[in-house]
Amino acid sequence: MKDWNYQAKELHQCIVASRYFEGMAKKKYLIAFIRREGIPIATAQLYAGEKIGTWRIGQFYANELDRSNCRPSDEVQAIFNKWLETVPIKEAI
């Protein structure tokens, strides 16, 4: 919970208040914390994709202090998508 609280506080996100950890514990989805040198930069909600072995990104947000500008940068999205291709679903959910 320490990591969850840190991520939520730094990025002004509701991941703790909305109890996303419960959905993750029930294996409904996976929550990924994206950090650069230990500093939170984004959070992604992942579901199993329609094609076996693939992922579908649900919510994907950076700092939500300004809700009109809270999407991760193109660079962060590209790096995350590349990483996501390497994560086997069976081992994660």
Side-chain angles (χ1 to χ4, degrees), residues 13-77:
Q13 295 178 343
C14 68
I15 57 174
V16 174
S18 295
R19 307 178 70 81
Y20 281 86
F21 50 86
E22 290 178 351
M24 197 168 107
K26 294 176 183 175
K27 298 186 178 189
K28 292 181 177 181
Y29 46 75
L30 181 69
I31 298 294
F33 296 162
I34 298 96
R35 296 184 178 173
R36 181 179 289 138
E37 297 180 11
I39 306 298
I41 57 173
T43 304
Q45 181 182 35
L46 305 168
Y47 294 92
E50 290 183 24
K51 183 178 174 188
I52 294 174
T54 64
W55 293 98
R56 178 177 61 81
I57 297 175
Q59 300 181 68
F60 192 12
Y61 291 109
N63 193 324
E64 294 188 59
L65 183 60
D66 176 1
R67 289 287 297 155
S68 67
N69 183 28
C70 61
R71 302 295 296 171
S73 69
D74 290 343
E75 175 190 22
V76 169
Q77 290 181 47

